[in-house]
Amino acid sequence: MASLALTYHASRLDSEAVRLAHKALAIDPDLVSVRILLAERALENNDGPTALDHANRAAAVEPSNASAHMCRGDALVLAGKDGEAKVAYQKAIALMVASGMKNSHSERLEVVRKALADGKLPAPRVPAQRTAHEKAVPPRSTPAPRPAQPRKPPPRTACSPGDPLCSTF
C-alpha cells in the first residue's frame, strides 16, 4: 500500500496518495517514505504543524534520511523556528553531500544552500517549487475514469428451427 501511495504521489494523484498513505501508516506508523510524502503534501498546503509532525517522526525512525531533515527545515521555517530550521537544513545538506544523493530535492537543495550562504533562510516551499517533471504534469485528484465499453451480445453460432431471428429456416 505504501508503494502505491508513492506511485500516486509521483503521478500527481495526490488525494489518492494521501488516502493510501494514511492507510499504510495505520498498518505501520514508521514508514519513513510515507511520512515524508505526507510532510511534503502538508508543506505544499502551508500546514506546518502536520508537516513537522510527519518529518519529525521520519527523522526519528531514520536519522540518516536527508529528505526527512529537509522537510523538517521547511516545516520549521513555516513555524517561525529559524534557529531549529537552520540546524535541520544543515543536517540535510550534510547528509545529501555525504551520500552523493541526487533526487527530487536537488532544486530545493540549491535554494537552501544559497539562502544559508547569504546568511538567510529560504522562503517556505510552495507547489510552484516542485520538480521540473511535476511542473509539466497537470495536477489530478483522482485517476481518470476509463471509458465505458459497450457490451456486445455473444455471437450466435447456430439457428434452431422456428427461431424468428434466423432467416435460414
Side-chain angles (χ1 to χ4, degrees):
M1 195 166 319
S3 296
L4 188 56
L6 295 171
T7 300
Y8 276 144
H9 180 63
S11 300
R12 298 286 310 258
L13 299 170
D14 290 324
S15 63
E16 281 298 301
V18 169
R19 185 181 67 79
L20 289 171
H22 285 292
K23 282 187 171 190
L25 288 181
I27 296 166
D28 182 355
D30 290 336
L31 292 169
V32 173
S33 59
V34 173
R35 291 279 178 188
I36 292 170
L37 178 155
L38 291 172
E40 289 176 349
R41 289 294 301 141
L43 287 166
E44 291 165 4
N45 292 316
N46 289 319
D47 183 355
T50 299
L52 187 56
D53 179 54
H54 288 297
N56 280 339
R57 183 73 176 258
V61 171
E62 193 177 321
S64 63
N65 189 302
S67 296
H69 292 284
M70 184 67 74
C71 288
R72 280 191 75 243
D74 288 337
L76 289 163
V77 165
L78 284 176
K81 297 181 179 182
D82 295 355
E84 291 178 61
K86 184 176 179 181
V87 171
Y89 284 138
Q90 289 170 335
K91 177 87 172 174
I93 291 169
L95 289 167
M96 287 181 181
V97 169
S99 68
M101 186 176 180
K102 298 282 185 197
N103 68 6
S104 62
H105 288 289
S106 59
E107 289 179 33
R108 183 68 179 157
L109 176 64
E110 291 310 312
V111 169
V112 169
R113 274 186 172 165
K114 181 171 179 357
L116 292 178
D118 292 342
K120 301 175 185 175
L121 287 174
R125 186 183 342 179
V126 294
Q129 291 176 321
R130 287 182 162 223
T131 65
H133 167 73
E134 291 171 324
K135 289 176 189 174
V137 179
R140 297 191 317 199
S141 59
T142 57
R146 299 180 93 188
Q149 298 292 326
R151 294 195 122 206
K152 295 180 183 177
R156 297 180 57 91
T157 56
C159 291
S160 55
D163 187 343
L165 298 176
C166 189
S167 62
T168 58
F169 290 100

